[in-house]
Amino acid sequence: MPNSSSFSLQDWITIFFNLTCASLIGGLIGRNRRRENKPAGMRTHMLVCLGSTMFVMIPFHDPHLITPSQVIQGVAQGIGFLGAGEILHQSDVNQQGEVRIKGLTSAAAIWATAALGIAIGAGFYPIALLGSMFVLFVLEVIHKFEP
């Protein structure tokens, strides 16, 4: 079982860098969702990105504990529940009794934020950087073209 003394200075720097990147990227995406008055805002997206990053970093430090692919599957599955909760929270029933589904973009943003956290935790920084730029582009620009 690893303890804090089994981490080198380089490990500590990498951990700090990864968690800082996850906080910033999650915060940027969450800021957009908060500006759109969505329930899942900065803190939620920051925590999703941080949590995904931390989960993925663990097997890289102790590969006997669990494999990275198992962690990624678990994170993706777990985030699905959070996204489903976001959809249920925002959806409603109109006066005619029809269910109006809302929150799909917010759920997708949570899912994409988790994927960015996974990329950071695995050390795939170009994927995380370009992925976050694309996510923000979709949320900030593409939404203006929707009716």
Side-chain angles (χ1 to χ4, degrees):
M1 169 129 345
N3 59 40
S4 61
S5 64
S6 68
F7 288 92
S8 69
L9 177 60
Q10 184 60 43
D11 290 333
W12 282 98
I13 291 169
T14 301
I15 292 166
F16 181 79
F17 178 78
N18 286 354
L19 296 180
T20 300
C21 287
S23 296
L24 292 172
I25 288 172
L28 287 172
I29 295 168
R31 192 181 100 220
N32 168 275
R33 303 318 299 152
R34 179 53 65 204
R35 271 197 334 261
E36 298 291 324
N37 294 316
K38 303 302 179 185
M42 284 183 70
R43 291 183 302 158
T44 302
H45 285 81
M46 289 173 82
L47 289 171
V48 164
C49 204
L50 278 166
S52 299
T53 299
M54 288 186 284
F55 275 123
V56 172
M57 286 191 308
I58 291 168
F60 286 107
H61 189 73
D62 187 358
H64 297 95
L65 188 62
I66 192 169
T67 67
S69 64
Q70 290 172 312
V71 170
I72 292 168
Q73 289 172 345
V75 168
Q77 191 171 26
I79 291 302
F81 285 103
L82 189 58
E86 179 74 7
I87 293 167
L88 286 174
H89 176 77
Q90 290 189 45
S91 297
D92 62 2
V93 178
N94 66 16
Q95 292 178 343
Q96 290 79 27
E98 300 165 330
V99 176
R100 295 186 325 183
I101 305 298
K102 296 181 182 177
L104 294 173
T105 301
S106 294
I110 290 170
W111 182 65
T113 301
L116 293 169
I118 289 168
I120 293 167
F124 297 132
Y125 305 115
I127 293 172
L129 178 63
L130 289 174
S132 62
M133 290 169 57
F134 274 89
V135 168
L136 288 168
F137 177 79
V138 168
L139 293 174
E140 298 278 347
V141 178
I142 299 298
H143 116 87
K144 295 174 183 174
F145 295 103
E146 290 184 320

